[in-house]
Structures are given as C-alpha cells and as structure tokens.
Amino acid sequence: MAKSVELKNPHLNAMNSDYLYHLNINVPNTKDTSDFQKQFGDVRVVCAGGTKSRMYELALHLRDLLKIKKKDSDIVDLSESGHRYALFKVGPILCASHGVGSSTFSVVLHELLKLVKYAKCEDPVFIRVGTCGGIGVPPGTVVVTKNAYNGLLRNEHEIFILGERVVRPARFPENVIKDIVAYGASADDDFQIISGNTMSTDCFYEGQGRIDGAICEYDENAKMSFLKRCHGLGIRNIEMEATMFASVTYHAGVKAADICVTLINRLNGDQVEITMETKKTYESRPFLVVGRYVKKLLE
Ligand code: R2B
Ligand code: URA
C-alpha cells in the first residue's frame, strides 16, 4: 500500500508553519496542508541534478515522453524568487537543481523532503541525475549507484552534528536499482547502463585523486594505485553527492537512486576534455534512463 512520508524529526510536529527558505516556498499551516496538497500532492518522483538548465531540459523531456499537456512557457521555475535553486513541476514529477557537492545538495534535499511530507505525496522516489568520472568504463556509460563510498573508501556518510562525528549508512534500495537498470535500458541504445559502486568526494581535484588541481602532494603512481584500489572495490564512478544523498534518503525512509553518466575514464587521465556537444549527448543519457523508468513506474 502506498504510504506518505514520515520524517524522523519530532520537532516538525510542534511547528505550526514552515518556510522552505532556499526554495522560497511557504507552508503557512502545517496542521492543514490541503492547499499545499493541491499544488504538490500528486508528486511521485523528485529528480535532482546540478544545474537549472539541465533540470529544465529534463522537465521538457519528461513532459514530452509522458505526453503531459503543457507548453514550454508553462514550465516555470517555482523557486526563482529564492535565487538559490530551481524547481520545475511537470505533472507528477519535480525537477530541482542542487548545485555542486553534498553541502549544497543537502540543503535543498532537506527542503524537498519536507515538501513531499507536507504535501502528503505517496511513496515518492528521489532520483539524482548527474555526471561523474568513470573508473575502467568507457566515457558515456550510465552508472546506477549500488553502494556509495566516501573518500576514505568506506560505505558510509559522515556529518558533524553538535560537535560530534555522526556516521550513517550510505545505501540505495536494491529494488529501485534493479528496476532502473531493467526498465531504463533499450536495445537501440548506443551506450551501456551498469550498476556499480560510487565514490563520492567533497573535492573534485585532490579528493578524486587528480593531479591537475591547484594543489597536489602525490605523484601519478600514487594516484593510479588509489584508482585501482577503488576499482577493486567495485567502484565504477566518482562524483560528489552520492554518500550524502544515499544516507539522508535512507534515514528519511524514502526510495532513492543516483544515475550518472561518465564524462571521462579516470584510468586514462584527469582533464575532462570532451566537446560541449558530446557532453550534451552524454548528459541526455540519464534523462532517457530516468524517463523510461518513470514511465513504467507511473503505468
Ligand atoms: C559531478 O559533477 C559535478 C562536478 O563537476 C558534481 O556535482 C558531481 O557530482
Ligand atoms: N564530476 C565529477 O565529480 N568528477 C568527474 O571526474 C567528472 C564529473
């Protein structure tokens, strides 16, 4: 049976109103959210990705795929006045931008989770669609994250709370991964979808073992042996949000998945040198995958 979202924060029950500050969305009466439910109650899928333009493209793609009757001009940024993140709604799908890295994503993720709670959305699935570096897979491969590892190669997310280090599991539900790989692929695709482990870092350069950042105190050999160690753990891609995303959604009890396309094979180098045209082609691949999965989910 479909269930609505129960967040693990007892303090929310004591609040009569809530302001989703970074989205600039007000919930004036948390005890009676009927108006809010009219606006957002049908949401079944919440997609998130780095930039506003990519999330707008995704909203257009899903609108066309699901034959939702809306003109381009109707897909408005509901959070534009907040000047932080973008939020688009097409039928039962929200598409939000999250910026670069766990810290910016976690801010909007907390607010999106509260949004689906107040709107009493039934069993929503949160999906990140993004880009990443690959390890030992051809550029353009779509990777659906199994376990998310942090920069210490531990399958967990750490956060400092009230002066303490809190460690939480960073796991995505297996059945969602399985369905995405099964329904997201098409025999006509000229790319592969795989499920693999993901390393998630707070730094694009040193944190991901690059030697082309502004600072670097190790050599190419140390870098390669680290990347090979990652590969040995089943890590097939590196990005900057998966551990936080997995741990927060797992803790909140909502379904989630991370679907990223590799822009580079890190065993061959550090610089992302693909043309903007190729990048656009690659970036559209997670859209195809998520679209097919969502279509099946909504059937
Ligand atoms: C992948 O790409 C971005 C960095 O370029 C970051 O958001 C990520 O996870
Ligand atoms: N995003 C990352 O975080 N790393 C890469 O190598 C490419 C995209």
Side-chain angles (χ1 to χ4, degrees):
M1 223 193 42
K3 59 176 177 45
S4 50
V5 175
E6 297 292 334
L7 294 178
K8 294 190 181 78
N9 177 3
H11 305 286
L12 292 178
N13 300 333
M15 288 166 55
N16 292 322
S17 64
D18 197 351
Y19 176 44
L20 310 179
Y21 165 49
H22 300 84
L23 290 173
N24 192 22
I25 291 178
N26 199 22
V27 187
N29 182 355
T30 57
K31 309 296 177 214
D32 175 6
T33 58
S34 37
D35 284 345
F36 204 65
Q37 288 173 50
K38 276 183 210 135
Q39 195 181 0
F40 292 112
D42 63 334
V43 169
R44 292 289 317 281
V45 180
V46 181
C47 296
T51 67
K52 173 176 177 169
S53 61
R54 247 198 291 144
M55 288 302 100
Y56 183 69
E57 291 294 321
L58 178 60
L60 290 181
H61 171 68
L62 294 172
R63 181 203 60 183
D64 295 346
L65 182 76
L66 303 172
K67 300 190 172 48
I68 293 166
K69 286 190 181 50
K70 258 192 171 186
K71 298 194 296 291
D72 283 13
S73 55
D74 294 335
I75 300 181
V76 291
D77 178 358
L78 302 172
S79 292
E80 191 167 26
S81 52
H83 303 290
R84 289 283 186 189
Y85 299 93
L87 183 67
F88 303 104
K89 184 173 185 301
V90 266
I93 303 153
L94 286 178
C95 297
S97 67
H98 65 57
V100 172
S102 288
S103 58
T104 68
F105 188 12
S106 92
V107 173
V108 73
L109 184 57
H110 274 260
E111 294 179 13
L112 290 167
L113 284 164
K114 292 199 292 175
L115 185 153
V116 295
K117 169 199 154 60
Y118 293 131
K120 299 198 191 305
C121 302
E122 290 186 354
D123 224 357
V125 187
F126 281 64
I127 303 176
R128 177 176 121 71
V129 275
T131 58
C132 60
I135 306 185
V137 293
T141 302
V142 173
V143 182
V144 185
T145 302
K146 272 201 267 193
N147 289 313
Y149 285 71
N150 65 15
L152 292 171
L153 301 183
R154 291 189 185 142
N155 177 207
E156 60 192 29
H157 176 66
E158 74 167 30
I159 176 171
F160 304 126
I161 301 175
L162 303 186
E164 301 285 341
R165 179 172 172 264
V166 175
V167 175
R168 293 179 179 145
R171 222 174 274 148
F172 291 106
E174 270 172 39
N175 55 344
V176 181
I177 300 168
K178 210 168 103 260
D179 287 352
I180 289 173
V181 174
Y183 303 130
S186 157
D188 300 335
D189 287 339
D190 56 355
F191 61 91
Q192 254 206 315
I193 308 178
I194 59 166
S195 62
N197 297 332
T198 296
M199 178 169 77
S200 188
T201 67
D202 289 331
C203 168
F204 182 85
Y205 291 98
E206 293 171 283
Q208 297 190 4
R210 284 190 154 80
I211 57 169
D212 63 345
I215 303 169
C216 183
E217 296 180 310
Y218 45 84
D219 62 13
E220 176 73 18
N221 285 339
K223 166 189 126 178
M224 288 309 290
S225 72
F226 176 68
L227 292 176
K228 285 180 185 157
R229 203 175 135 209
C230 293
H231 192 265
L233 288 170
I235 294 175
R236 294 294 176 266
N237 68 335
I238 312 178
E239 46 83 279
M240 301 180 67
E241 293 85 11
T243 51
M244 181 285 299
F245 182 42
S247 74
V248 171
T249 48
Y250 183 75
H251 199 71
V254 298
K255 291 184 190 146
D258 197 341
I259 308 173
C260 292
V261 65
T262 63
L263 301 182
I264 178 177
N265 179 359
R266 288 297 313 288
L267 299 182
N268 296 337
D270 293 344
Q271 295 251 305
V272 179
E273 288 172 328
I274 52 172
T275 62
M276 279 299 147
E277 206 187 328
T278 304
K279 187 164 178 259
K280 209 167 161 46
T281 305
Y282 286 178
E283 281 176 353
S284 68
R285 293 177 176 177
F287 294 0
L288 295 174
V289 173
V290 87
R292 292 168 187 152
Y293 168 74
V294 167
K295 197 167 176 205
K296 189 85 189 167
L297 186 80
L298 298 177
E299 261 172 24

